[in-house]
Amino acid sequence: MRLTVTGFSTGRALLAVFSLLVATALLLPIVIVVLLSVGEDRIMAFPPRGFTLNWFADAFTSDRWRSRFASSLQVGAVSATAATVLGTLTALGLKRTKLPGKSIIYGLLLTPLIVPTVTVGIGMFFVWLEGWSFGPLVIGGGLTGSLLGYVMAHTVLALPYPLITVTASLMTVDRNLELAAGGMGASPWVTFRRVTLPLIMPGVWAGFILAFLTSWDEVIVALYMATPQFGTIPVELFGQIRQSPTPTAAAISTMLMVAGVVIFLAALTFRRRGAQQ
Amino acid sequence: MTDRKREPALELRGVTKEYDGGVLAVDHIDLVVRDQEFLTILGPSGSGKTTTLKLIAGFVTANAGQIMLDGEDVSRTPPYKRNLGMVFQNYALFPHLTVEQNLRFPLEMRRLPAAESSERVAEALDLVRLTGMGDRYPRQLSGGQQQRVALARAIVYQPRVLLMDEPLGALDRRLREDLQLEFKRLHQELDVTVIYVTHDQEEALLLSDRIAVFNEGRIEQLGSGEDLYQWPRTSFVGSFMGDSNTFRGVFEQRGEIGSIRLANTTLHGSVHPDSNLKNGESAVMIVRPEDCAVGHLEPTVKTNRLEVVVEQAVYLGSTIKYVVEYDGMTLYSRMPARSSDPPQEPGAGVSIQWAANDAVIVPDR
Ligand SMILES: Nc1ncnc2c1ncn2[C@@H]1O[C@H](COP(=O)(O)OP(=O)(O)OP(=O)(O)O)[C@@H](O)[C@H]1O
Ligand SMILES: [Mg+2]
């Protein structure tokens, strides 16, 4: 392709304008939420009037928000841990053994990324609520509105992320390092703990963070699972906005956003540190 | 040297490895490695050298045969219980550990007291001349230094046998030569049994007590470097161990000396004692370029002599290398460059000749 100097600069100008539009479209809602969270009106209104941090104070003092925050944190931490452990072990199993049909298993485990969450949610709802009955034997059931139910659901949804990041990390680990460790007297377990695990740690952390974020802002399955007694922040936000959109919801959203950015930056740092090794 | 020296340290009996997909990588190998021996496995790419080392180390399991370490069958023993040392071609140093931590790793696996560990690590670093480098990470070292660390890590726990898979393959020539001498020195100082893999015949000759020449998963010949060079048992060994001239013809035995008949002439040579050749069979004569003289030579008894045309004369300092043509074949000669003999010009008709005792006749297969 030949570009004249003028053609080139026109193209660049167009590109700049376009990028600016996209950035605005992406950032505007975020800016609006932040603005709404500091307005003085009791009901969210735009443009907001005045400036107050009361809604943030509200969010911190409200028992309901506190309990939702605790639930979200618990569900996120436990399900991310579970997904990371399972994802890491699965990645190892698929990369380091001679299992037939490995790629099929890998594909199946990634389905939560592809199948609409609404669909998965319905299935989960029934299993979690009713349980599986095999004749007289019933597995699960009565799990809606419980920590265990949420954790199981979110573990399934989050599993693909650590699976992907750890698999990618494993590809960069030289198989000879593990053989060398074995040759020097390390059992398979010790080899994993002393050699493989430290080397895939960046992938493990990245997977954990992505899994946590998945649970943290997952709303569809969480809606199915919620009861008045137990729910996560996104469910509560959703409910509140639909009933009476108080600026507290905007304050919460703003804080979630900041937390999300911090976590994301942390993940980037891990990756960079991993890349330096 | 102790009196263990002639005992077998390691023995392979009929060891066979067929990979999934039907590749017969190692085909019924029998091999006895003596204690404190430096044995080299030499062979072309894909001949099963690495597979053999991996079988010994236990990284792959044999389909058939036994592997005996000090008389004990270890065929089913996992690698971490075999007490062998292995140096990989790409070093396989742990990138997340410092040099010192790398060296400590095998000692920790053996639950050595910390004080003794430190002593051994310092000793090993000293042996490979890397004292003071203990705190560096592998990525902060040059290729040659990394190779030394790999070696130090493999000897620091005094394994029963040291396995080395083309440890110098990734290094440039100068460094390779330095490290070859270092390996030789270490082998003598440590009295360790070494099995060394290479496809460089000069390296094999320099380092080894004995060499096993591999071809297509089999041992083609096992012997000292001199044996293999002077008495190749097959034309493969002859051509793999340095430059050679080979002639294919029909075998005839006349007393001590054998001969092979070519289209226009008959050549005489020593028959390899293991060859079992019978009259009329197809055979190959192998003769080294340095045993061949080129020039206007007087015919003598017991020599082979062919009329040839000079194609190239290459002056190599102390020697002159001639490339000559005989009946469509290219032959080589390497002669001392004596100032009194003017070198032959390309196109000159000369003769090439060599003594019958310098030529070996082996079966053609
Ligand atoms: N994991 C494997 N699966 C299937 N075939 C293999 C495997 N490893 C090696 N092979 C095959 O086995 C044969 C011997 O391989 P090996 O690595 O032992 O050769 P090598 O002598 O070490 O060669 P090189 O000098 O190239 O390292 C080759 O044909 C190779 O393709
Ligand atoms: Mg190899």
Side-chain angles (χ1 to χ4, degrees):
Chain A
M1 194 166 62
R2 282 179 64 166
L3 283 172
T4 61
V5 175
T6 49
F8 185 64
S9 55
T10 323
R12 275 181 73 141
L14 274 176
L15 191 66
V17 171
F18 183 71
S19 308
L20 211 65
L21 283 176
V22 171
T24 313
L26 286 176
L27 289 175
L28 205 57
I30 297 175
V31 174
I32 290 176
V33 170
V34 175
L35 290 177
L36 287 175
S37 69
V38 294
E40 278 172 0
D41 293 307
R42 304 208 121 265
I43 299 280
M44 282 191 216
F46 197 82
R49 290 184 303 140
F51 177 85
T52 176
L53 290 177
N54 280 349
W55 308 118
F56 286 87
D58 241 28
F60 280 111
T61 49
S62 143
D63 283 345
R64 194 163 176 84
W65 278 117
R66 278 182 157 176
S67 103
R68 292 306 186 246
F69 180 75
S71 312
S72 260
L73 211 56
Q74 274 178 359
V75 171
V78 179
S79 65
T81 307
T84 306
V85 170
L86 289 176
T88 303
L89 295 180
T90 313
L92 272 175
L94 292 178
K95 269 267 156 294
R96 292 287 189 264
T97 59
K98 281 191 192 168
L99 221 56
K102 285 200 280 197
S103 50
I104 297 175
I105 298 175
Y106 189 69
L108 280 177
L109 289 169
L110 294 187
T111 45
L113 291 180
I114 304 150
V115 177
T117 316
V118 189
T119 323
V120 181
I122 295 171
M124 283 181 174
F125 178 68
F126 277 101
V127 174
W128 268 226
L129 185 71
E130 312 265 345
W132 268 301
S133 45
F134 302 97
L137 192 72
V138 178
I139 299 172
L143 286 173
T144 50
S146 71
L147 176 64
L148 184 61
Y150 266 103
V151 164
M152 294 207 300
H154 281 179
T155 302
V156 173
L157 291 180
L159 185 67
Y161 297 101
L163 183 56
I164 289 171
T165 57
V166 173
T167 303
S169 288
L170 271 177
M171 306 237 254
T172 66
V173 176
D174 179 5
R175 188 85 178 84
N176 281 344
L177 295 179
E178 292 166 354
L179 294 183
M184 286 185 283
S187 65
W189 165 246
V190 173
T191 300
F192 172 73
R193 203 167 44 80
R194 298 282 310 271
V195 178
T196 316
L197 188 60
L199 293 172
I200 60 172
M201 223 42 208
V204 172
W205 275 116
F208 177 84
I209 288 167
L210 289 170
F212 183 84
L213 288 177
T214 303
S215 162
W216 188 249
D217 70 13
E218 200 287 322
V219 69
I220 303 172
V221 174
L223 271 175
Y224 285 117
M225 303 282 303
T227 56
Q229 289 75 42
F230 193 92
T232 53
I233 294 174
V235 177
E236 188 69 19
L237 276 176
F238 192 74
Q240 283 217 359
I241 305 270
R242 300 198 60 186
Q243 288 162 16
S244 61
T246 64
T248 316
I252 296 278
S253 306
T254 304
M255 290 192 283
L256 289 186
M257 228 148 51
V258 172
V261 169
V262 169
I263 293 175
F264 183 73
L265 288 179
L268 273 188
T269 327
F270 276 120
R271 276 200 44 188
R272 192 146 321 138
R273 209 178 291 164
Q276 276 169 2
Q277 281 229 328
Chain B
M1 301 276 157
T2 61
D3 48 356
R4 281 197 320 188
K5 178 130 191 176
R6 293 285 131 178
E7 303 272 300
L10 178 85
E11 206 178 333
L12 307 189
R13 294 183 187 158
V15 172
T16 299
K17 175 66 193 177
E18 186 178 340
Y19 283 112
D20 306 339
V23 183
L24 193 56
V26 169
D27 186 7
H28 284 94
I29 285 203
D30 296 306
L31 177 64
V32 177
V33 183
R34 298 176 195 139
D35 192 47
Q36 295 173 16
E37 174 172 40
F38 198 118
L39 183 125
T40 295
I41 295 177
L42 175 69
S45 188
S47 55
K49 306 183 296 293
T50 298
T51 305
T52 304
L53 273 205
K54 285 185 169 173
L55 284 163
I56 296 170
F59 300 147
V60 299
T61 15
N63 299 89
Q66 284 173 307
I67 298 166
M68 318 287 288
L69 247 179
D70 286 325
E72 195 187 323
D73 188 349
V74 296
S75 310
R76 304 278 148 207
T77 310
Y80 61 95
K81 291 187 182 152
R82 292 196 188 185
N83 192 27
L84 302 175
M86 175 110 178
V87 179
F88 291 79
Q89 176 166 0
N90 66 353
Y91 320 134
L93 297 175
F94 301 133
H96 59 298
L97 300 181
T98 62
V99 168
E100 181 174 341
Q101 289 166 336
N102 264 282
L103 263 61
R104 273 179 191 277
F105 187 91
L107 303 176
E108 281 167 23
M109 296 303 124
R110 284 165 180 70
R111 304 191 198 295
L112 233 67
E116 197 183 337
S117 280
S118 307
E119 208 171 289
R120 287 236 208 137
V121 168
E123 244 172 63
L125 283 178
D126 192 41
L127 267 178
V128 298
R129 303 177 185 180
L130 282 179
T131 310
M133 300 267 196
D135 292 332
R136 299 225 195 155
Y137 282 91
R139 62 172 178 277
Q140 298 169 322
L141 299 175
S142 72
Q145 290 169 334
Q146 290 182 23
Q147 182 53 64
R148 285 163 209 255
V149 176
L151 180 63
R153 192 179 65 172
I155 56 179
V156 71
Y157 57 101
Q158 300 164 359
R160 183 64 188 89
V161 177
L162 184 57
L163 310 172
M164 303 170 90
D165 190 0
E166 306 205 26
L168 304 179
L171 304 176
D172 67 46
R173 196 187 162 81
R174 263 304 303 274
L175 207 50
R176 224 160 50 215
E177 284 168 2
D178 285 353
L179 282 167
Q180 282 165 359
L181 294 175
E182 203 133 315
F183 286 174
K184 210 172 161 69
R185 171 179 69 85
L186 282 174
H187 174 242
Q188 282 158 1
E189 276 177 31
L190 297 174
D191 291 339
V192 64
T193 310
V194 180
I195 303 179
Y196 190 95
V197 163
T198 181
H199 58 241
D200 178 344
Q201 54 102 10
E202 277 181 33
E203 189 167 298
L205 287 172
L206 176 75
L207 292 172
S208 323
D209 295 322
R210 288 191 304 160
I211 300 172
V213 179
F214 269 50
N215 186 25
E216 295 181 350
R218 291 166 170 276
I219 297 182
E220 196 96 0
Q221 189 171 356
L222 174 66
S224 69
E226 200 181 337
D227 253 9
L228 298 185
Y229 194 76
Q230 300 299 343
W231 287 98
R233 211 166 62 182
T234 64
S235 56
F236 175 83
V237 175
S239 55
F240 202 75
M241 296 297 295
D243 299 333
S244 64
N245 296 312
T246 53
F247 303 91
R248 210 158 248 106
V250 178
F251 179 71
E252 268 165 33
Q253 176 89 41
R254 288 196 217 119
E256 289 280 285
I257 282 273
S259 65
I260 63 163
R261 207 172 58 237
L262 308 187
N264 304 321
T265 182
T266 297
L267 302 173
H268 307 285
S270 323
V271 184
H272 194 285
D274 301 348
S275 66
N276 275 327
L277 272 168
K278 297 187 182 57
N279 284 357
E281 282 182 343
S282 174
V284 174
M285 173 181 283
I286 302 161
V287 59
R288 298 292 171 192
E290 59 269 27
D291 293 328
C292 296
V294 160
H296 301 287
L297 307 159
E298 294 302 314
T300 51
V301 244
K302 280 198 178 179
T303 45
N304 297 295
R305 177 186 166 99
L306 300 171
E307 301 307 317
V308 295
V309 176
V310 176
E311 281 186 348
Q312 271 184 56
V314 186
Y315 181 71
L316 295 170
S318 60
T319 58
I320 294 182
K321 182 178 172 182
Y322 286 106
V323 182
V324 301
E325 195 246 54
Y326 168 76
D327 196 14
M329 281 193 286
T330 303
L331 306 177
Y332 304 91
S333 154
R334 199 189 287 265
M335 306 205 330
R338 269 184 251 103
S339 50
S340 53
D341 299 344
Q344 305 295 329
E345 296 296 322
V350 292
S351 56
I352 183 169
Q353 72 183 35
W354 64 93
N357 336 350
D358 289 334
V360 188
I361 298 178
V362 299
D364 179 20
R365 54 172 174 82

